[in-house]
Amino acid sequence: MRFGAINNSEYLDRLIESTSTENGVFGAKVHWNQTNFMQEKLVASLRGDIPSAPSEPLEFFLRTKLQSPRYIWLRRKNKVAQAISYYRASRTGVWRSVKGRKDQSSSLDLSLPFNIAAIDYYVKLCSQMDFEWNHYFRSNRLPVLMIFYEDLVANYQLVVRGVLKFLELSINISIPEKKLNRQSDCRSLEWERRYLEALPKKLCGILK
């Protein structure tokens, strides 16, 4: 098990201890389809490593463990582009592209074919995850900072300072350059064009 934990009951504490910043801030990126895993780790941390079906909702365990968590919701306006990135990453295992590395030069990625059915699946999946997060924040009446990926790419420094302000941290600091490259490329744009051109035909097929 990672971070030196020997069982589930230790995992979350070891994770927080190993990844918190010098000023004590811990953050975790969670997709909606990972919330069951997160709740499992929270329950184990609070109640011991004993398998059980919790009756309390996820928000109860988050607040019990983290007291006053802050929520930042990173979304993407262009769901087709998001779906294409999701499709490529899920097939190749390349979820990020770090500057100075050739993360997207793998033979798996280069040989990956355009697949309209797979892209359509991820369009629906990304839209459903947005729906679930929106319902989660609204039903629990949680304040949330919503950020669009497109704005983050276009105004990196400004958006990061907005996050710091939301977290009530100092914004008068030097923000380092981005370490990640955009994974979208000419092939992504071409696949987006082909998907959108086929969309009316696909909808007609569904309606018949």
Side-chain angles (χ1 to χ4, degrees), residues 94-114:
V94 179
W95 294 94
R96 61 183 60 84
S97 180
V98 179
K99 287 185 177 180
R101 296 193 331 208
K102 298 181 179 180
D103 296 294
Q104 288 186 276
S105 299
S106 69
S107 57
L108 274 176
D109 186 64
L110 294 174
S111 63
L112 192 66
F114 173 76

Side-chain angles (χ1 to χ4, degrees), residues 4 19 23 32 57 69 83 94 105 108 114 126 139-140 162 189 195 199:
T19 60
N23 57 350
W32 180 258
V94 179
S105 299
L108 274 176
F114 173 76
C126 292
S139 61
N140 288 287
L189 294 174
Y195 177 88
L199 193 58

Side-chain angles (χ1 to χ4, degrees), residues 14 29-30 43 53-54 76 92 95 99 102 123 132 146 155 161 172 179 198 203 207:
R14 295 287 181 267
K29 180 180 73 173
V30 181
V43 172
R76 192 161 179 170
T92 64
W95 294 94
K99 287 185 177 180
K102 298 181 179 180
V123 168
E132 297 291 354
M146 185 170 66
N155 301 288
R161 293 194 188 281
N172 298 316
K179 295 182 179 180
L203 287 176
L207 294 173

Side-chain angles (χ1 to χ4, degrees), residues 143-193:
V144 57
L145 176 64
M146 185 170 66
I147 298 172
F148 285 106
Y149 166 83
E150 289 83 353
D151 296 333
L152 177 61
V153 170
N155 301 288
Y156 173 71
Q157 295 269 341
L158 182 63
V159 171
V160 171
R161 293 194 188 281
V163 170
L164 293 173
K165 184 177 180 180
F166 177 73
L167 297 176
E168 298 182 347
L169 299 172
S170 174
I171 63 173
N172 298 316
I173 61 173
S174 176
I175 298 174
E177 291 298 316
K178 293 178 287 186
K179 295 182 179 180
L180 302 180
N181 289 322
R182 291 187 66 180
Q183 291 185 279
S184 177
D185 54 21
C186 293
R187 186 160 52 140
S188 299
L189 294 174
E190 173 65 14
W191 286 2
E192 184 178 347
R193 181 190 64 78

Side-chain angles (χ1 to χ4, degrees), residues 21-55:
T21 59
E22 292 181 1
N23 57 350
V25 176
F26 166 72
K29 180 180 73 173
V30 181
H31 294 286
W32 180 258
N33 56 6
Q34 297 170 325
T35 53
N36 287 338
F37 172 83
M38 180 171 64
Q39 181 157 325
E40 173 190 312
K41 300 302 182 186
L42 285 163
V43 172
S45 177
L46 293 166
R47 298 181 176 176
D49 199 14
I50 302 173
S52 61
S55 57

Side-chain angles (χ1 to χ4, degrees), residues 82-142:
Q82 183 180 3
I84 290 170
S85 294
Y86 211 147
Y87 163 55
R88 292 177 67 175
S90 66
R91 296 300 192 274
T92 64
V94 179
W95 294 94
R96 61 183 60 84
S97 180
V98 179
K99 287 185 177 180
R101 296 193 331 208
K102 298 181 179 180
D103 296 294
Q104 288 186 276
S105 299
S106 69
S107 57
L108 274 176
D109 186 64
L110 294 174
S111 63
L112 192 66
F114 173 76
N115 186 327
I116 190 170
I119 294 170
D120 196 51
Y121 167 80
Y122 285 111
V123 168
K124 293 173 181 175
L125 177 64
C126 292
S127 298
Q128 181 64 28
M129 287 195 292
D130 268 10
F131 173 84
E132 297 291 354
W133 279 121
N134 184 58
H135 175 72
Y136 179 80
F137 295 133
R138 285 181 175 273
S139 61
N140 288 287
R141 299 182 179 181
L142 297 170

